[in-house]
PDB file of all heavy atoms in Angstrom:
ATOM      1  N   CYS A   1       2.714   8.449  -0.709  1.00 95.00           N
ATOM      2  CA  CYS A   1       2.436   6.997  -0.716  1.00 95.00           C
ATOM      3  C   CYS A   1       3.591   6.237  -1.367  1.00 95.00           C
ATOM      4  O   CYS A   1       4.286   6.780  -2.213  1.00 95.00           O
ATOM      5  CB  CYS A   1       1.162   6.696  -1.516  1.00 95.00           C
ATOM      6  SG  CYS A   1      -0.270   7.693  -1.078  1.00 95.00           S
ATOM      7  N   ASN A   2       3.742   4.967  -0.977  1.00 96.00           N
ATOM      8  CA  ASN A   2       4.727   4.139  -1.652  1.00 96.00           C
ATOM      9  C   ASN A   2       4.264   3.855  -3.078  1.00 96.00           C
ATOM     10  O   ASN A   2       3.170   4.258  -3.490  1.00 96.00           O
ATOM     11  CB  ASN A   2       4.956   2.846  -0.878  1.00 96.00           C
ATOM     12  CG  ASN A   2       3.809   1.887  -1.026  1.00 96.00           C
ATOM     13  OD1 ASN A   2       2.695   2.183  -0.620  1.00 96.00           O
ATOM     14  ND2 ASN A   2       4.054   0.734  -1.644  1.00 96.00           N
ATOM     15  N   SER A   3       5.059   3.169  -3.878  1.00 97.00           N
ATOM     16  CA  SER A   3       4.774   3.052  -5.305  1.00 97.00           C
ATOM     17  C   SER A   3       3.572   2.173  -5.626  1.00 97.00           C
ATOM     18  O   SER A   3       3.280   1.199  -4.910  1.00 97.00           O
ATOM     19  CB  SER A   3       6.013   2.492  -6.041  1.00 97.00           C
ATOM     20  OG  SER A   3       6.121   1.096  -5.832  1.00 97.00           O
ATOM     21  N   VAL A   4       2.899   2.521  -6.714  1.00 97.00           N
ATOM     22  CA  VAL A   4       1.797   1.715  -7.227  1.00 97.00           C
ATOM     23  C   VAL A   4       2.295   0.327  -7.615  1.00 97.00           C
ATOM     24  O   VAL A   4       1.624  -0.677  -7.365  1.00 97.00           O
ATOM     25  CB  VAL A   4       1.132   2.431  -8.430  1.00 97.00           C
ATOM     26  CG1 VAL A   4       0.236   1.456  -9.234  1.00 97.00           C
ATOM     27  CG2 VAL A   4       0.338   3.647  -7.962  1.00 97.00           C
ATOM     28  N   VAL A   5       3.489   0.264  -8.213  1.00 98.00           N
ATOM     29  CA  VAL A   5       4.033  -1.032  -8.630  1.00 98.00           C
ATOM     30  C   VAL A   5       4.200  -1.964  -7.418  1.00 98.00           C
ATOM     31  O   VAL A   5       3.810  -3.150  -7.469  1.00 98.00           O
ATOM     32  CB  VAL A   5       5.390  -0.875  -9.352  1.00 98.00           C
ATOM     33  CG1 VAL A   5       6.010  -2.233  -9.660  1.00 98.00           C
ATOM     34  CG2 VAL A   5       5.206  -0.101 -10.640  1.00 98.00           C
ATOM     35  N   ALA A   6       4.751  -1.431  -6.314  1.00 98.00           N
ATOM     36  CA  ALA A   6       4.944  -2.254  -5.117  1.00 98.00           C
ATOM     37  C   ALA A   6       3.591  -2.698  -4.549  1.00 98.00           C
ATOM     38  O   ALA A   6       3.413  -3.872  -4.219  1.00 98.00           O
ATOM     39  CB  ALA A   6       5.726  -1.481  -4.066  1.00 98.00           C
ATOM     40  N   THR A   7       2.640  -1.777  -4.438  1.00 98.00           N
ATOM     41  CA  THR A   7       1.347  -2.099  -3.837  1.00 98.00           C
ATOM     42  C   THR A   7       0.574  -3.118  -4.683  1.00 98.00           C
ATOM     43  O   THR A   7       0.041  -4.114  -4.177  1.00 98.00           O
ATOM     44  CB  THR A   7       0.511  -0.834  -3.640  1.00 98.00           C
ATOM     45  OG1 THR A   7       1.225   0.089  -2.841  1.00 98.00           O
ATOM     46  CG2 THR A   7      -0.826  -1.148  -2.944  1.00 98.00           C
ATOM     47  N   THR A   8       0.489  -2.866  -5.983  1.00 98.00           N
ATOM     48  CA  THR A   8      -0.283  -3.752  -6.845  1.00 98.00           C
ATOM     49  C   THR A   8       0.369  -5.139  -6.961  1.00 98.00           C
ATOM     50  O   THR A   8      -0.336  -6.154  -7.032  1.00 98.00           O
ATOM     51  CB  THR A   8      -0.476  -3.150  -8.247  1.00 98.00           C
ATOM     52  OG1 THR A   8       0.789  -2.806  -8.826  1.00 98.00           O
ATOM     53  CG2 THR A   8      -1.345  -1.923  -8.190  1.00 98.00           C
ATOM     54  N   THR A   9       1.707  -5.177  -6.956  1.00 98.00           N
ATOM     55  CA  THR A   9       2.398  -6.485  -6.985  1.00 98.00           C
ATOM     56  C   THR A   9       2.139  -7.244  -5.678  1.00 98.00           C
ATOM     57  O   THR A   9       1.847  -8.436  -5.705  1.00 98.00           O
ATOM     58  CB  THR A   9       3.913  -6.298  -7.208  1.00 98.00           C
ATOM     59  OG1 THR A   9       4.109  -5.576  -8.415  1.00 98.00           O
ATOM     60  CG2 THR A   9       4.626  -7.623  -7.254  1.00 98.00           C
ATOM     61  N   ALA A  10       2.248  -6.550  -4.562  1.00 98.00           N
ATOM     62  CA  ALA A  10       1.988  -7.196  -3.265  1.00 98.00           C
ATOM     63  C   ALA A  10       0.574  -7.773  -3.186  1.00 98.00           C
ATOM     64  O   ALA A  10       0.370  -8.869  -2.661  1.00 98.00           O
ATOM     65  CB  ALA A  10       2.205  -6.206  -2.135  1.00 98.00           C
ATOM     66  N   LEU A  11      -0.397  -7.060  -3.763  1.00 98.00           N
ATOM     67  CA  LEU A  11      -1.779  -7.514  -3.750  1.00 98.00           C
ATOM     68  C   LEU A  11      -1.961  -8.809  -4.538  1.00 98.00           C
ATOM     69  O   LEU A  11      -2.890  -9.581  -4.264  1.00 98.00           O
ATOM     70  CB  LEU A  11      -2.703  -6.424  -4.314  1.00 98.00           C
ATOM     71  CG  LEU A  11      -2.996  -5.247  -3.388  1.00 98.00           C
ATOM     72  CD1 LEU A  11      -3.651  -4.109  -4.155  1.00 98.00           C
ATOM     73  CD2 LEU A  11      -3.906  -5.683  -2.215  1.00 98.00           C
ATOM     74  N   LYS A  12      -1.090  -9.038  -5.506  1.00 98.00           N
ATOM     75  CA  LYS A  12      -1.145 -10.271  -6.299  1.00 98.00           C
ATOM     76  C   LYS A  12      -0.482 -11.455  -5.606  1.00 98.00           C
ATOM     77  O   LYS A  12      -0.651 -12.608  -6.025  1.00 98.00           O
ATOM     78  CB  LYS A  12      -0.462 -10.048  -7.663  1.00 98.00           C
ATOM     79  CG  LYS A  12      -1.110  -8.987  -8.522  1.00 98.00           C
ATOM     80  CD  LYS A  12      -2.535  -9.288  -8.926  1.00 98.00           C
ATOM     81  CE  LYS A  12      -3.120  -8.249  -9.849  1.00 98.00           C
ATOM     82  NZ  LYS A  12      -4.552  -8.524 -10.149  1.00 98.00           N
ATOM     83  N   LEU A  13       0.271 -11.169  -4.522  1.00 98.00           N
ATOM     84  CA  LEU A  13       1.073 -12.218  -3.870  1.00 98.00           C
ATOM     85  C   LEU A  13       0.599 -12.553  -2.473  1.00 98.00           C
ATOM     86  O   LEU A  13       1.076 -13.540  -1.877  1.00 98.00           O
ATOM     87  CB  LEU A  13       2.546 -11.742  -3.806  1.00 98.00           C
ATOM     88  CG  LEU A  13       3.221 -11.424  -5.130  1.00 98.00           C
ATOM     89  CD1 LEU A  13       4.613 -10.878  -4.870  1.00 98.00           C
ATOM     90  CD2 LEU A  13       3.258 -12.646  -6.027  1.00 98.00           C
ATOM     91  N   ALA A  14      -0.301 -11.768  -1.904  1.00 98.00           N
ATOM     92  CA  ALA A  14      -0.678 -11.954  -0.487  1.00 98.00           C
ATOM     93  C   ALA A  14      -2.176 -11.796  -0.292  1.00 98.00           C
ATOM     94  O   ALA A  14      -2.888 -11.239  -1.119  1.00 98.00           O
ATOM     95  CB  ALA A  14       0.054 -10.917   0.375  1.00 98.00           C
ATOM     96  N   ASP A  15      -2.654 -12.315   0.839  1.00 97.00           N
ATOM     97  CA  ASP A  15      -4.062 -12.161   1.218  1.00 97.00           C
ATOM     98  C   ASP A  15      -4.339 -10.744   1.705  1.00 97.00           C
ATOM     99  O   ASP A  15      -5.408 -10.189   1.490  1.00 97.00           O
ATOM    100  CB  ASP A  15      -4.436 -13.135   2.350  1.00 97.00           C
ATOM    101  CG  ASP A  15      -4.198 -14.581   1.967  1.00 97.00           C
ATOM    102  OD1 ASP A  15      -4.442 -14.897   0.797  1.00 97.00           O
ATOM    103  OD2 ASP A  15      -3.796 -15.367   2.866  1.00 97.00           O
ATOM    104  N   TYR A  16      -3.337 -10.185   2.391  1.00 98.00           N
ATOM    105  CA  TYR A  16      -3.484  -8.823   2.967  1.00 98.00           C
ATOM    106  C   TYR A  16      -2.246  -8.002   2.659  1.00 98.00           C
ATOM    107  O   TYR A  16      -1.108  -8.505   2.799  1.00 98.00           O
ATOM    108  CB  TYR A  16      -3.671  -8.895   4.496  1.00 98.00           C
ATOM    109  CG  TYR A  16      -5.062  -9.348   4.874  1.00 98.00           C
ATOM    110  CD1 TYR A  16      -5.383 -10.704   4.965  1.00 98.00           C
ATOM    111  CD2 TYR A  16      -6.092  -8.410   5.088  1.00 98.00           C
ATOM    112  CE1 TYR A  16      -6.653 -11.137   5.279  1.00 98.00           C
ATOM    113  CE2 TYR A  16      -7.362  -8.836   5.425  1.00 98.00           C
ATOM    114  CZ  TYR A  16      -7.640 -10.182   5.505  1.00 98.00           C
ATOM    115  OH  TYR A  16      -8.917 -10.598   5.822  1.00 98.00           O
ATOM    116  N   VAL A  17      -2.476  -6.765   2.263  1.00 98.00           N
ATOM    117  CA  VAL A  17      -1.353  -5.823   2.057  1.00 98.00           C
ATOM    118  C   VAL A  17      -1.607  -4.627   2.981  1.00 98.00           C
ATOM    119  O   VAL A  17      -2.679  -3.979   2.899  1.00 98.00           O
ATOM    120  CB  VAL A  17      -1.259  -5.357   0.587  1.00 98.00           C
ATOM    121  CG1 VAL A  17      -0.223  -4.255   0.444  1.00 98.00           C
ATOM    122  CG2 VAL A  17      -0.924  -6.527  -0.312  1.00 98.00           C
ATOM    123  N   VAL A  18      -0.660  -4.377   3.867  1.00 98.00           N
ATOM    124  CA  VAL A  18      -0.789  -3.265   4.827  1.00 98.00           C
ATOM    125  C   VAL A  18       0.139  -2.140   4.367  1.00 98.00           C
ATOM    126  O   VAL A  18       1.357  -2.337   4.277  1.00 98.00           O
ATOM    127  CB  VAL A  18      -0.416  -3.697   6.255  1.00 98.00           C
ATOM    128  CG1 VAL A  18      -0.686  -2.568   7.241  1.00 98.00           C
ATOM    129  CG2 VAL A  18      -1.190  -4.955   6.639  1.00 98.00           C
ATOM    130  N   THR A  19      -0.446  -1.000   4.064  1.00 98.00           N
ATOM    131  CA  THR A  19       0.363   0.139   3.604  1.00 98.00           C
ATOM    132  C   THR A  19       0.039   1.359   4.412  1.00 98.00           C
ATOM    133  O   THR A  19      -0.977   1.409   5.130  1.00 98.00           O
ATOM    134  CB  THR A  19       0.126   0.389   2.093  1.00 98.00           C
ATOM    135  OG1 THR A  19       1.093   1.316   1.608  1.00 98.00           O
ATOM    136  CG2 THR A  19      -1.278   0.946   1.817  1.00 98.00           C
ATOM    137  N   GLU A  20       0.885   2.358   4.331  1.00 96.00           N
ATOM    138  CA  GLU A  20       0.657   3.596   5.081  1.00 96.00           C
ATOM    139  C   GLU A  20       0.643   4.779   4.132  1.00 96.00           C
ATOM    140  O   GLU A  20       1.137   4.720   3.025  1.00 96.00           O
ATOM    141  CB  GLU A  20       1.754   3.793   6.141  1.00 96.00           C
ATOM    142  CG  GLU A  20       3.128   4.054   5.550  1.00 96.00           C
ATOM    143  CD  GLU A  20       4.159   4.474   6.589  1.00 96.00           C
ATOM    144  OE1 GLU A  20       3.804   4.756   7.729  1.00 96.00           O
ATOM    145  OE2 GLU A  20       5.350   4.507   6.222  1.00 96.00           O
ATOM    146  N   ALA A  21       0.045   5.865   4.620  1.00 95.00           N
ATOM    147  CA  ALA A  21       0.098   7.137   3.900  1.00 95.00           C
ATOM    148  C   ALA A  21       0.629   8.182   4.869  1.00 95.00           C
ATOM    149  O   ALA A  21       0.375   8.104   6.075  1.00 95.00           O
ATOM    150  CB  ALA A  21      -1.313   7.531   3.431  1.00 95.00           C
ATOM    151  N   GLY A  22       1.429   9.110   4.379  1.00 86.00           N
ATOM    152  CA  GLY A  22       2.208   9.989   5.246  1.00 86.00           C
ATOM    153  C   GLY A  22       1.387  10.915   6.112  1.00 86.00           C
ATOM    154  O   GLY A  22       0.289  11.325   5.773  1.00 86.00           O
ATOM    155  N   PHE A  23       1.935  11.257   7.261  1.00 91.00           N
ATOM    156  CA  PHE A  23       1.385  12.221   8.205  1.00 91.00           C
ATOM    157  C   PHE A  23      -0.072  11.874   8.590  1.00 91.00           C
ATOM    158  O   PHE A  23      -0.453  10.711   8.589  1.00 91.00           O
ATOM    159  CB  PHE A  23       1.519  13.639   7.657  1.00 91.00           C
ATOM    160  CG  PHE A  23       2.952  14.108   7.511  1.00 91.00           C
ATOM    161  CD1 PHE A  23       3.400  14.616   6.307  1.00 91.00           C
ATOM    162  CD2 PHE A  23       3.861  13.985   8.546  1.00 91.00           C
ATOM    163  CE1 PHE A  23       4.726  15.024   6.160  1.00 91.00           C
ATOM    164  CE2 PHE A  23       5.185  14.376   8.409  1.00 91.00           C
ATOM    165  CZ  PHE A  23       5.629  14.903   7.211  1.00 91.00           C
ATOM    166  N   GLY A  24      -0.861  12.887   8.931  1.00 93.00           N
ATOM    167  CA  GLY A  24      -2.245  12.631   9.344  1.00 93.00           C
ATOM    168  C   GLY A  24      -3.146  12.315   8.171  1.00 93.00           C
ATOM    169  O   GLY A  24      -2.786  12.480   7.008  1.00 93.00           O
ATOM    170  N   ALA A  25      -4.357  11.857   8.479  1.00 95.00           N
ATOM    171  CA  ALA A  25      -5.299  11.448   7.446  1.00 95.00           C
ATOM    172  C   ALA A  25      -5.727  12.623   6.572  1.00 95.00           C
ATOM    173  O   ALA A  25      -6.152  12.440   5.429  1.00 95.00           O
ATOM    174  CB  ALA A  25      -6.523  10.771   8.064  1.00 95.00           C
ATOM    175  N   ASP A  26      -5.614  13.855   7.098  1.00 96.00           N
ATOM    176  CA  ASP A  26      -6.028  15.023   6.283  1.00 96.00           C
ATOM    177  C   ASP A  26      -5.120  15.197   5.078  1.00 96.00           C
ATOM    178  O   ASP A  26      -5.521  15.730   4.048  1.00 96.00           O
ATOM    179  CB  ASP A  26      -5.994  16.303   7.135  1.00 96.00           C
ATOM    180  CG  ASP A  26      -4.642  16.558   7.771  1.00 96.00           C
ATOM    181  OD1 ASP A  26      -4.021  15.620   8.304  1.00 96.00           O
ATOM    182  OD2 ASP A  26      -4.198  17.731   7.790  1.00 96.00           O
ATOM    183  N   LEU A  27      -3.858  14.765   5.178  1.00 95.00           N
ATOM    184  CA  LEU A  27      -2.919  14.809   4.046  1.00 95.00           C
ATOM    185  C   LEU A  27      -2.768  13.432   3.424  1.00 95.00           C
ATOM    186  O   LEU A  27      -3.168  13.183   2.289  1.00 95.00           O
ATOM    187  CB  LEU A  27      -1.558  15.336   4.517  1.00 95.00           C
ATOM    188  CG  LEU A  27      -1.462  16.823   4.765  1.00 95.00           C
ATOM    189  CD1 LEU A  27      -0.133  17.172   5.401  1.00 95.00           C
ATOM    190  CD2 LEU A  27      -1.606  17.605   3.462  1.00 95.00           C
TER     191      LEU A  27
END
């Protein structure tokens, strides 16, 4: 996953934050 700092900061600045997690959902 990308950094917690990036995700939590984005959540404070936007209505929606779209992030991804690597490979398939099982991982």
Side-chain angles (χ1 to χ4, degrees):
C1 310
N2 74 297
S3 77
V4 165
V5 174
T7 303
T8 54
T9 302
L11 284 167
K12 299 297 183 184
L13 302 175
D15 301 325
Y16 285 86
V17 173
V18 185
T19 191
E20 66 171 350
F23 295 128
D26 57 317
L27 284 171

